[in-house]
Amino acid sequence: MPIKVWIPARMRSDLQALADHVGIKLSQYVREIVISRLLGHGTLPKRPEMIEAVPLPSAEEWCDGRKIPMRQVSRDEYWKAAEGEMRTDWVDE
């Protein structure tokens, strides 16, 4: 039976990232989570792709303290990132 579930925006964004990592739709990913929690993983085994960590090479370099070349991104590309945030600070002159 189809149901709708309200998910906070930040949690939805995290779930979407995990669904994208496995290559399935968000609705399918949430369905699998609900089924596995209610009926156990015996009815719906875990996806091996979820355990694989695929770090970006630049993230590894940054963690090692090496210099990372910076690049300017468009406003649209920035807002597509889940962490996109814009702040405005007013300065009195």
Side-chain angles (χ1 to χ4, degrees):
M1 170 183 251
I3 61 169
K4 285 193 176 189
V5 179
W6 179 82
I7 300 173
R10 187 162 188 167
M11 184 183 293
R12 185 183 193 287
S13 174
D14 291 343
L15 290 169
Q16 183 66 63
L18 292 169
D20 291 344
H21 178 70
V22 180
I24 60 174
K25 291 183 185 180
L26 176 62
S27 59
Q28 178 65 29
Y29 185 72
V30 172
R31 187 177 303 112
E32 289 182 12
I33 291 172
V34 171
I35 290 170
S36 66
R37 294 297 175 190
L38 291 175
L39 304 174
H41 288 290
T43 58
L44 191 66
K46 286 185 180 180
R47 292 177 178 267
E49 299 92 0
M50 293 307 301
I51 300 171
E52 294 176 14
V54 185
L56 298 172
S58 58
E60 290 291 322
E61 292 172 7
W62 182 77
C63 289
D64 292 339
R66 290 180 268 170
K67 282 223 177 232
I68 306 298
M70 303 296 270
R71 70 178 181 90
Q72 188 164 348
V73 298
S74 68
R75 184 177 291 248
D76 292 335
E77 188 177 356
Y78 174 77
W79 284 114
K80 286 181 184 175
E83 293 79 21
E85 180 179 325
M86 185 176 291
R87 296 181 185 182
T88 304
D89 295 327
W90 297 95
V91 178
D92 292 329
E93 292 187 33

